[in-house]
Amino acid sequence: MTSGALARLAFWARGMTAIQDARMEWPGFSYTEPEWARMRVLAAPIGAARYQLFTMVNAAIFIAIAALGIFCVFLPMATLLFPVPAETSALKFSLLLAACAFLIIGLGLPVSLRLSSMLVASKEIRVGLVAEAGDEALAAKVSWQINRIMLVMCGLLVPGILLFITYNIDAGPIIATLKWVAIVLMGISTTVGALRRKRS
């Protein structure tokens, strides 16, 4: 495993172990006990300030890639495919936006992670990271988890929300109730996590 790939895995591990330390979970990203133990070893050389810098650099790079995708891919394609906006099909427009989101996130996120870890990982961090058997499998698992969430978001969430907005669909009391249930559950999860962290 290259030092760059190991550094990316270490920064990812730093973020995930911070979530676990807060007694919270990130849906779709679960790991075995040996994997958690390995991620803690990988995250050890990365301090809080360095990780904060990584997140800011990564966000800046990804936003730049997203803007490039919108202005260089989405807008030209929309202009080519839908020359008359008033006659544009809501379904076709939603599918184009979902496809572009898939492209931007699918390519942009790995690129931003690669560039940000390359820019932020110091020589000391790279020296402190030693590859072990199983690291490639763990990195592949992380990559699959990211791609899976991306598929769900771009394949269902983005076009679904756009179609609801475009057609002004009345979701009814069921969706409204689910929305408030989700808000309450998020509040409870955050509160419980904060209390557990305070006690620990």
Side-chain angles (χ1 to χ4, degrees):
M1 193 172 189
T2 65
S3 61
L6 193 60
R8 290 195 299 276
L9 183 60
F11 278 112
W12 179 267
R14 181 66 172 80
M16 295 307 298
T17 53
I19 292 174
Q20 189 189 47
D21 289 341
R23 303 296 193 273
M24 294 186 294
E25 293 184 1
W26 198 352
F29 295 88
S30 60
Y31 303 97
T32 64
E33 288 301 321
E35 288 171 340
W36 278 119
R38 177 56 183 158
M39 285 200 293
R40 291 196 174 278
V41 173
L42 290 171
I46 302 174
R50 181 68 58 168
Y51 180 71
Q52 186 69 21
L53 178 61
F54 168 79
T55 58
M56 291 189 293
V57 172
N58 183 55
I61 294 175
F62 181 76
I63 290 172
I65 293 174
L68 191 65
I70 291 172
F71 288 103
C72 296
V73 179
F74 174 73
L75 292 179
M77 289 296 294
T79 302
L80 177 66
L81 296 175
F82 314 123
V84 183
E87 299 176 0
T88 300
S89 166
L91 177 59
K92 292 179 180 178
F93 180 83
S94 300
L95 291 177
L96 174 62
L97 185 57
C100 288
F102 182 84
L103 178 66
I104 290 171
I105 299 175
L107 296 179
L109 186 57
V111 170
S112 68
L113 288 171
R114 181 183 296 270
L115 291 177
S116 55
S117 62
M118 181 178 66
L119 293 171
V120 176
S122 64
K123 183 178 180 180
E124 291 75 15
I125 290 177
R126 293 178 182 273
V127 170
L129 295 173
V130 180
E132 292 186 1
D135 285 349
E136 289 188 6
L138 180 57
K141 181 176 182 178
V142 170
S143 179
W144 159 241
Q145 290 173 333
I146 294 174
N147 290 334
R148 181 178 58 191
I149 294 298
M150 176 188 63
L151 287 171
V152 172
M153 183 174 66
C154 297
L156 298 176
L157 186 60
V158 172
I161 291 175
L162 286 172
L163 290 175
F164 263 72
I165 294 173
T166 303
Y167 290 112
N168 194 26
I169 298 175
D170 184 5
I174 295 178
I175 298 299
T177 301
L178 290 175
K179 179 185 74 173
W180 285 108
V181 168
I183 292 173
V184 171
L185 289 176
M186 288 175 62
I188 293 174
S189 176
T190 302
T191 302
V192 171
L195 290 175
R196 287 180 176 178
R197 186 175 183 181
K198 185 177 180 180
R199 292 174 182 173
S200 61

